[in-house]
Amino acid sequence: MAGKNNALQKPVNLTPELEEVVGKGPMTRAQVTSKVWDYIKSKDLQDSKDKRMINPDDKLGDVIGKDQISMFKMTGAVSKHMTAT
């Protein structure tokens, strides 16, 4: 990927709250997204009636907010917990 400026492949620093969910950073945005989904699936946090909705537990709630959130808004909420290295 030399010469490509792909934001998803650049390592980012994570807040302590996000590290509680995905593990120790830095890691790429793509890895963070994948690990957040692994966490959601392992804890069965997708709404049973509408799989597009996420019902956060306490750890994920510290990152994305305590209320139910759409999978489409979740990425933006998680992004607030990442900073460039």
Side-chain angles (χ1 to χ4, degrees), residues 29-41:
R29 288 178 182 271
Q31 287 172 308
V32 170
T33 300
S34 176
K35 287 177 184 277
V36 167
W37 274 106
D38 289 346
Y39 183 87
I40 288 167
K41 289 178 177 151

Side-chain angles (χ1 to χ4, degrees), residues 36-53:
V36 167
W37 274 106
D38 289 346
Y39 183 87
I40 288 167
K41 289 178 177 151
S42 73
K43 304 280 188 191
D44 199 26
L45 300 178
Q46 280 178 281
D47 191 83
S48 58
K49 294 182 189 75
D50 184 350
K51 296 285 189 195
R52 295 170 300 179
M53 300 305 290

Side-chain angles (χ1 to χ4, degrees), residues 7-13 26-29 31 83-85:
L8 284 177
Q9 299 304 327
K10 282 187 182 163
V12 290
N13 291 317
M27 60 182 75
T28 67
R29 288 178 182 271
Q31 287 172 308
T83 54
T85 53

Side-chain angles (χ1 to χ4, degrees), residues 8 14-15 22 25 28 66 68 70 76 85:
L8 284 177
L14 313 178
T15 63
V22 300
T28 67
K66 302 290 186 203
Q68 188 181 61
S70 142
T85 53

